[in-house]
Structures are given as structure tokens and as C-alpha cells.
Amino acid sequence: MDVQMETVNASESKPVPELVPKPQLVYRCKKCRRIVASEEIIVPHERGNGKESFRWRKRGGKYQNEEANCSSIFVEPMKWMQTVQEGSMGEKLSCIGCNSRLGSFNWAGMQCNCGAWVNPAFQLHKSRMDECRM
């Protein structure tokens, strides 16, 4: 955990670094506010070619130069993901607290809306979660 704070030493006027906790990013279910993911378990992926990567948008036009922001995060499998524990190859992911749908998973992989493929994919939709700093 990276932390820093500056204090002034009594004998000198130069700041001295000290430890201060860096805020941690967590994702909560929008419906019941249960923590479903944290910054440490997010699987990063390189941005794809955006809408050019999808067959139905491979035609020319005004959509080619738009950059798509990722509308989902990909995470490592977690204990609360009951359908993963049951041995399914691909299924919807529901919140363990309120049973609302948060995303889906597929061991063969999925394509992010930015165009990148993630294998295996445990995808949580940002629209179904709140981003919080702790």
C-alpha cells in the first residue's frame, strides 16, 4: 500500500515524508451496497480497436474514430460467485446479497466494448455497481 504525508521537522523547515493510507477503490452493488470487488482483483486489459472490432460496425462511417470507454470491469473469480463454484462454463453473475444481476462470466472469454478480448472473462458491469473510495 503506497502512502505518503509530509510533515515539518522542528529542527528543519523541509517537509519529511510520513505514511498516510492511500484511498482504496471498491465496487459496491447499487441495490444492496454490498462490496463485490476491489481494486486488487481487477484484471487489466489492453484497449482494443473500439467499434472496428465488432463485425456489425466494420463498415466505414462516422463511428470509426470514436473511442469507447470500458463499461465493464474484468475481475478474478471470487467466492461469492456461486455459479462459478458450481462448475458452469458461462453464466450470469448475481449479487449474493440481493440477487440482482451484476454481470456474467465465460471461461472461453468475452469481448469488452472497447474491442479487447479477455480470457477467461469474469465481467462486472459498471452501470450495476457504485465506485467508492475507502
Side-chain angles (χ1 to χ4, degrees):
M1 187 183 265
D2 292 336
V3 289
Q4 283 189 344
M5 182 176 140
E6 294 186 10
T7 59
V8 178
N9 192 342
S11 62
E12 299 177 18
S13 62
K14 291 184 181 179
V16 178
E18 238 182 65
L19 299 179
V20 167
K22 180 182 177 185
Q24 181 187 14
L25 181 65
V26 294
Y27 291 91
R28 295 178 176 268
C29 172
K30 272 194 176 176
K31 192 171 181 182
C32 69
R33 305 290 298 151
R34 179 181 281 259
I35 295 176
V36 293
S38 64
E39 193 172 27
E40 294 86 29
I41 60 162
I42 293 176
V43 177
H45 62 277
E46 291 184 23
R47 290 185 65 76
N49 293 329
K51 294 180 181 178
E52 294 176 10
S53 302
F54 297 96
R55 181 164 300 279
W56 53 276
R57 293 282 186 157
K58 284 192 173 181
R59 49 184 138 64
K62 62 180 179 179
Y63 297 109
Q64 272 186 319
N65 295 331
E66 288 183 16
E67 270 194 43
N69 291 327
C70 297
S71 62
S72 306
I73 60 169
F74 291 90
V75 296
E76 297 172 6
M78 294 174 277
K79 288 183 181 179
W80 65 263
M81 298 177 177
Q82 294 172 343
T83 52
V84 176
Q85 303 297 329
E86 294 169 358
S88 300
M89 285 298 293
E91 190 79 31
K92 297 175 183 171
L93 293 172
S94 299
C95 176
I96 197 167
C98 63
N99 210 31
S100 66
R101 183 168 177 233
L102 297 175
S104 55
F105 78 94
N106 193 324
W107 286 102
M110 285 186 212
Q111 193 172 18
C112 181
N113 70 312
C114 72
W117 276 93
V118 180
N119 295 354
F122 298 88
Q123 181 181 40
L124 299 175
H125 301 293
K126 289 181 181 178
S127 64
R128 311 247 167 118
M129 300 179 299
D130 286 327
E131 223 174 77
C132 304
R133 298 248 177 227
M134 295 184 85

